[in-house]
Coordinates of all heavy atoms in Angstrom, one line a residue:
L246 N 116.1 89.8 96.7 CA 114.7 89.4 96.3 C 114.7 88.1 95.6 O 113.6 87.5 95.3 CB 114.1 90.5 95.4 CG 114.1 91.9 96.0 CD1 113.4 92.9 95.0 CD2 113.4 92.0 97.3
V247 N 115.8 87.5 95.2 CA 115.8 86.3 94.4 C 115.3 85.1 95.2 O 114.8 84.2 94.5 CB 117.3 86.0 93.9 CG1 117.7 87.0 92.9 CG2 118.2 85.8 95.1
S248 N 115.3 85.2 96.5 CA 114.8 84.1 97.3 C 113.3 84.1 97.4 O 112.6 83.2 98.0 CB 115.4 84.0 98.7 OG 115.1 85.2 99.4
F249 N 112.6 85.2 97.0 CA 111.2 85.4 97.1 C 110.5 84.3 96.2 O 111.0 84.1 95.1 CB 110.7 86.7 96.7 CG 111.0 87.8 97.7 CD1 112.0 87.7 98.7 CD2 110.2 89.0 97.7 CE1 112.2 88.7 99.6 CE2 110.5 90.0 98.6 CZ 111.5 89.9 99.6
D250 N 109.5 83.7 96.7 CA 108.7 82.8 95.9 C 107.9 83.4 94.8 O 107.7 84.6 94.9 CB 107.8 81.9 96.8 CG 108.6 81.1 97.8 OD1 109.3 80.2 97.4 OD2 108.5 81.3 99.0
K251 N 107.4 82.6 93.9 CA 106.6 83.1 92.8 C 105.2 83.5 93.3 O 104.5 84.2 92.6 CB 106.5 82.1 91.6 CG 107.8 82.0 90.9 CD 108.2 83.3 90.3 CE 109.5 83.2 89.5 NZ 110.0 84.5 88.9
K252 N 104.9 83.1 94.5 CA 103.6 83.5 95.1 C 103.9 84.2 96.4 O 104.7 83.7 97.2 CB 102.7 82.2 95.4 CG 101.4 82.6 96.1 CD 100.5 81.4 96.3 CE 99.9 80.9 95.0 NZ 98.9 79.8 95.2
I253 N 103.5 85.4 96.5 CA 103.8 86.3 97.6 C 102.5 86.7 98.3 O 101.5 87.2 97.6 CB 104.6 87.5 97.2 CG1 105.9 87.1 96.6 CG2 104.7 88.5 98.3 CD1 106.7 88.3 96.1
A254 N 102.4 86.6 99.6 CA 101.3 87.1 100.4 C 101.7 88.3 101.1 O 102.8 88.4 101.7 CB 100.9 86.0 101.4
I255 N 100.8 89.3 101.1 CA 101.1 90.6 101.8 C 100.0 90.7 102.9 O 98.8 90.7 102.6 CB 101.0 91.8 100.9 CG1 102.1 91.7 99.8 CG2 101.2 93.1 101.7 CD1 102.1 92.9 98.8
A256 N 100.5 90.8 104.1 CA 99.5 91.0 105.3 C 99.5 92.4 105.7 O 100.5 93.0 106.2 CB 99.9 90.1 106.4
A257 N 98.4 93.1 105.5 CA 98.2 94.5 106.0 C 97.4 94.3 107.3 O 97.1 93.2 107.7 CB 97.4 95.3 105.0
A258 N 97.0 95.5 107.9 CA 96.5 95.4 109.2 C 95.0 95.6 109.3 O 94.4 95.9 110.4 CB 97.2 96.5 110.1
G259 N 94.3 95.6 108.2 CA 92.8 95.8 108.2 C 92.1 94.7 109.0 O 92.6 93.6 109.3
P260 N 90.9 95.1 109.5 CA 90.1 94.2 110.4 C 89.9 92.8 109.8 O 89.8 91.8 110.5 CB 88.8 94.9 110.5 CG 89.1 96.3 110.3 CD 90.2 96.3 109.3
S261 N 89.8 92.6 108.5 CA 89.6 91.3 107.9 C 90.7 90.4 108.0 O 90.6 89.2 107.8 CB 89.2 91.5 106.4 OG 90.4 91.9 105.6
L262 N 91.9 90.9 108.4 CA 93.1 90.0 108.6 C 92.8 88.9 109.6 O 93.2 87.8 109.4 CB 94.3 90.8 109.0 CG 95.6 90.0 109.3 CD1 96.1 89.4 108.0 CD2 96.6 91.0 109.9
Q263 N 92.0 89.3 110.6 CA 91.7 88.3 111.6 C 90.8 87.1 111.1 O 90.8 86.0 111.7 CB 91.0 89.0 112.8 CG 89.7 89.7 112.5 CD 89.4 90.8 113.4 OE1 90.2 91.3 114.2 NE2 88.2 91.3 113.4
N264 N 90.2 87.3 110.0 CA 89.3 86.3 109.4 C 90.1 85.4 108.5 O 89.6 84.4 107.9 CB 88.2 86.9 108.6 CG 87.3 87.7 109.5 OD1 87.0 87.4 110.6 ND2 86.8 88.8 108.9
N265 N 91.4 85.7 108.2 CA 92.2 85.0 107.3 C 93.5 84.3 107.9 O 94.3 83.9 107.1 CB 92.6 85.9 106.1 CG 91.5 86.2 105.2 OD1 90.9 85.4 104.6 ND2 91.2 87.5 105.2
L266 N 93.5 84.3 109.2 CA 94.7 83.7 109.9 C 94.9 82.3 109.5 O 96.0 81.8 109.2 CB 94.6 83.9 111.4 CG 94.6 85.4 111.9 CD1 94.2 85.4 113.4 CD2 95.9 86.0 111.6
E267 N 93.8 81.5 109.5 CA 94.0 80.1 109.2 C 94.4 79.8 107.7 O 95.1 78.9 107.4 CB 92.7 79.3 109.5 CG 92.4 79.3 111.0 CD 93.5 78.7 111.9 OE1 94.1 77.7 111.5 OE2 93.8 79.3 112.9
T268 N 93.9 80.7 106.9 CA 94.3 80.6 105.5 C 95.7 80.9 105.3 O 96.4 80.2 104.5 CB 93.4 81.6 104.6 OG1 92.1 81.3 104.7 CG2 93.8 81.5 103.1
I269 N 96.3 81.9 106.0 CA 97.7 82.2 105.9 C 98.5 81.1 106.4 O 99.5 80.7 105.8 CB 98.0 83.5 106.6 CG1 97.3 84.7 105.9 CG2 99.5 83.8 106.7 CD1 97.4 86.0 106.7
K270 N 98.1 80.5 107.6 CA 98.9 79.4 108.1 C 98.9 78.2 107.2 O 99.9 77.5 107.0 CB 98.2 79.0 109.5 CG 98.4 80.0 110.6 CD 97.7 79.6 111.9 CE 97.9 80.6 113.0 NZ 97.2 80.1 114.2
Y271 N 97.7 77.9 106.6 CA 97.6 76.8 105.7 C 98.5 77.0 104.5 O 99.3 76.1 104.0 CB 96.2 76.6 105.2 CG 96.0 75.5 104.2 CD1 96.0 74.2 104.6 CD2 95.8 75.9 102.8 CE1 95.8 73.2 103.6 CE2 95.7 74.9 101.9 CZ 95.7 73.5 102.3 OH 95.5 72.5 101.4
L272 N 98.5 78.2 103.9 CA 99.4 78.5 102.7 C 100.8 78.4 103.1 O 101.6 77.8 102.3 CB 99.0 79.9 102.2 CG 97.7 80.1 101.5 CD1 97.4 81.6 101.3 CD2 97.6 79.3 100.3
K273 N 101.2 78.9 104.2 CA 102.6 78.8 104.7 C 103.0 77.4 104.8 O 104.2 77.0 104.6 CB 102.8 79.6 106.0 CG 102.8 81.1 105.8 CD 104.1 81.6 105.4 CE 105.2 81.5 106.5 NZ 106.5 82.0 106.0
K274 N 102.1 76.5 105.3 CA 102.5 75.1 105.6 C 102.5 74.3 104.3 O 103.3 73.3 104.2 CB 101.4 74.6 106.6 CG 101.7 73.1 107.0 CD 100.7 72.7 108.0 CE 100.9 71.3 108.5 NZ 99.9 70.8 109.5
T275 N 101.6 74.6 103.3 CA 101.4 73.7 102.2 C 102.0 74.2 100.9 O 102.1 73.4 99.9 CB 99.9 73.4 102.0 OG1 99.3 74.6 101.7 CG2 99.3 72.8 103.3
Q276 N 102.4 75.5 100.8 CA 102.8 76.0 99.5 C 104.1 76.8 99.7 O 104.5 77.2 100.8 CB 101.8 76.9 98.9 CG 100.4 76.2 98.6 CD 99.5 77.2 97.9 OE1 99.9 78.1 97.2 NE2 98.2 76.9 98.0
N277 N 104.8 76.9 98.6 CA 106.0 77.8 98.6 C 105.5 79.2 98.4 O 105.1 79.7 97.4 CB 106.9 77.4 97.4 CG 107.6 76.1 97.6 OD1 107.9 75.7 98.7 ND2 107.7 75.4 96.5
I278 N 105.5 80.0 99.5 CA 105.0 81.3 99.5 C 105.8 82.2 100.5 O 106.2 81.8 101.5 CB 103.5 81.3 100.0 CG1 102.8 82.6 99.8 CG2 103.3 80.8 101.4 CD1 101.3 82.6 99.9

Side-chain angles (χ1 to χ4, degrees):
L246 308 179
V247 295
S248 62
F249 284 24
D250 294 297
K251 289 300 180 182
K252 181 177 285 189
I253 295 177
I255 298 177
S261 70
L262 179 62
Q263 57 206 16
N264 300 324
N265 288 298
L266 295 173
E267 294 306 315
T268 300
I269 295 173
K270 289 178 181 179
Y271 176 79
L272 291 171
K273 287 279 288 176
K274 183 178 180 180
T275 62
Q276 298 186 26
N277 294 325
I278 189 167

